[in-house]
Amino acid sequence: MKKLIDKYGRIHDYLRISVTDRCNLRCVYCMPEEGMEFEPSDRILTYEEITEVVSAIAKIGVRKLRLTGGEPLVRKEIEKLIRMLSAVEGIEDIALTTNGMYLEKKAELLKEAGVTRINISLDSLQADRFAMITRGGDLSRVLRGLNAAVRAGFQPIKLNVVLMKGINDDEIADFIRLSIEKPLQIRFIEYMPIGHDDNGWRERYVPLQTIFNTVESMGLTYEKAEHVYGNGPAENFRIPGAGGTFGLIHPVSEHFCDNCNRLRLTADGNIKPCLYWDDEWNVRPLIGNEALIQDLFMRVLDAKPENHEMAKALSQETQSHTPTVRRMSQIGG
Ligand code: SAM
Ligand code: SF4
């Protein structure tokens, strides 16, 4: 029987689906302010096509899905897709990553449709700074979305914080305090060089060791927190007695490729074995033939590299593959 296990013995049970490359924001680390070209709508996988791909690969081991984008909540009636995916035999978990701007309106619907977990991206707790980083985001609206998600029964909620030197790294202490006060899982993420061909990201990159230094300078101690289901590569910690946790996702300073269990499907139907490299294969022409879809996923897995080399991008060493030219908004993170 076919199983999604690669030549390094990594079992792949997780597919991240970018449902759209469009977004209502333009975060500085993700998209350029202007000039972004979007896929025409006839090149974007329909809900039926996505469900067909998922049904095929659920039979060879995929159990967990994450819907992302672009912004997944800008796709019309996304709850319809979630209902369709929830009905696929073998799928046990459907998570969603959102910027939170439409969450107040959608949280209940998402819960009813079958979303199990929600991550909200929130890089600043200061309204003007949040608007600057996201180029137009409204912090109060995102916080209302967060509260609506709590009311709808999503628990716990994860907050993704991409740290950038000179932009929001002075807020580490505020986020740590938030993890003490609220039952939130704060996840600090290292700024990744996805789709960045300039030096901008290198200058802004903050290694996550900085978090521990900040906790110590606050006069606090921390302890390892229990592994949280669905937290993937995050290492989790807690300030003793805190209501929430904080986690570190450090793809650049210390990759976690040895345990990688994920594949990615872009909105235009490309399967990516690795977030960082440019290899991708389009599944769309095979939709309608389950065996061929499964075979393509097996071939993609065969080509999956042992690891990415983002650290070499930081030290400006030669890399063994070609990094993707896609933006994070086109891959989904
Ligand atoms: N629009 C949704 C959102 O912002 O949550 C989902 C898509 S977004 C591309 C998924 C995640 O990727 C977000 O948490 C975002 O912060 C993160 N991300 C985008 N560009 C990044 C970069 N260059 N480095 C690290 N994380 C990045
Ligand atoms: Fe949009 Fe999310 Fe990218 Fe921000 S990180 S521009 S919200 S896709």
Side-chain angles (χ1 to χ4, degrees):
M1 194 174 111
K2 290 179 228 171
K3 274 271 162 221
L4 288 166
I5 304 176
D6 72 3
K7 53 179 177 278
Y8 305 103
R10 297 174 294 196
I11 300 169
H12 290 70
D13 61 356
Y14 179 21
L15 181 71
R16 297 174 66 100
I17 306 170
S18 172
V19 295
T20 176
D21 59 345
R22 289 169 195 259
C23 187
N24 49 342
L25 299 180
R26 294 285 180 278
C27 301
V28 291
Y29 48 70
C30 182
M31 274 204 213
E33 186 164 17
E34 284 173 353
M36 192 74 197
E37 284 181 20
F38 298 104
E39 292 292 341
S41 53
D42 61 350
R43 281 177 57 99
I44 300 291
L45 294 183
T46 63
Y47 290 169
E48 287 71 22
E49 287 173 322
I50 294 174
T51 307
E52 226 184 285
V53 172
V54 168
S55 302
I57 58 171
K59 294 191 178 135
I60 54 173
V62 166
R63 296 283 165 265
K64 294 190 284 181
L65 304 174
R66 176 170 295 277
L67 304 188
T68 169
E71 172 50 40
L73 302 189
V74 303
R75 186 113 186 227
K76 204 169 163 209
E77 296 182 302
I78 188 74
E79 56 281 5
K80 276 196 184 158
L81 173 65
I82 294 159
R83 269 186 229 115
M84 290 161 78
L85 295 174
S86 302
V88 173
E89 202 180 322
I91 296 302
E92 296 164 359
D93 188 36
I94 305 178
L96 179 123
T97 304
T98 173
N99 61 33
M101 291 283 283
Y102 293 141
L103 200 49
E104 186 176 22
K105 230 173 35 191
K106 287 274 185 177
E108 287 256 358
L109 276 175
L110 295 173
K111 183 77 182 167
E112 279 163 23
V115 172
T116 42
R117 293 175 296 115
I118 286 195
N119 289 18
I120 302 173
S121 302
L122 184 64
D123 305 309
S124 175
L125 299 169
Q126 301 174 19
D128 49 350
R129 186 180 282 181
F130 181 76
M132 183 272 287
I133 295 173
T134 54
R135 300 198 183 99
D138 176 349
L139 178 64
S140 61
R141 195 165 147 182
V142 176
L143 294 178
R144 287 202 304 276
L146 169 63
N147 289 333
V150 172
R151 280 197 305 277
F154 289 105
Q155 173 71 340
I157 291 179
K158 293 179 203 154
L159 294 189
N160 289 355
V161 185
V162 178
L163 277 188
M164 289 163 286
K165 195 181 293 169
I167 295 193
N168 63 351
D169 57 340
D170 58 347
E171 288 189 63
I172 297 172
D174 294 336
F175 279 108
I176 294 289
R177 276 190 282 273
L178 189 63
S179 84
I180 299 175
E181 290 157 16
K182 303 255 182 210
L184 293 168
Q185 294 175 1
I186 314 285
R187 291 143 41 99
F188 296 105
I189 303 178
E190 282 182 349
Y191 190 177
M192 288 180 255
I194 305 292
H196 287 255
D197 47 11
D198 54 22
N199 284 328
W201 84 271
R202 205 175 283 112
E203 285 153 17
R204 297 281 181 210
Y205 168 79
V206 182
L208 291 188
Q209 179 57 35
T210 316
I211 312 290
F212 295 127
N213 301 342
T214 306
V215 171
E216 279 159 22
S217 72
M218 292 166 79
L220 297 170
T221 57
Y222 56 90
E223 59 194 20
K224 249 198 162 331
E226 63 287 358
H227 181 73
V228 184
Y229 177 76
N231 243 4
E235 284 183 275
N236 297 300
F237 302 89
R238 178 195 308 281
I239 306 296
T245 61
F246 66 97
L248 312 188
I249 302 184
H250 38 59
V252 181
S253 64
E254 204 184 323
H255 72 72
F256 30 78
C257 304
D258 291 353
N259 298 318
C260 186
N261 63 344
R262 53 189 67 185
L263 289 160
R264 292 175 167 83
L265 181 64
T266 63
D268 55 346
N270 283 291
I271 313 167
K272 286 185 70 64
C274 178
L275 169 68
Y276 187 53
W277 303 124
D278 72 344
D279 319 83
E280 50 185 50
W281 287 261
N282 201 287
V283 71
R284 199 171 200 191
L286 307 181
I287 292 177
N289 186 325
E290 188 174 276
L292 289 183
I293 296 175
Q294 292 172 343
D295 288 347
L296 181 62
F297 270 87
M298 301 298 286
R299 265 192 289 139
V300 167
L301 211 54
D302 240 7
K304 180 157 174 151
E306 190 171 9
N307 51 46
H308 64 64
E309 294 170 11
M310 291 187 203
K312 287 191 181 171
L314 187 64
S315 54
Q316 293 179 282
E317 287 169 69
T318 313
Q319 298 172 319
S320 62
H321 288 52
T322 312
T324 182
V325 291
R326 283 185 185 265
R327 289 273 172 174
M328 198 69 108
S329 56
Q330 297 167 314
I331 307 175

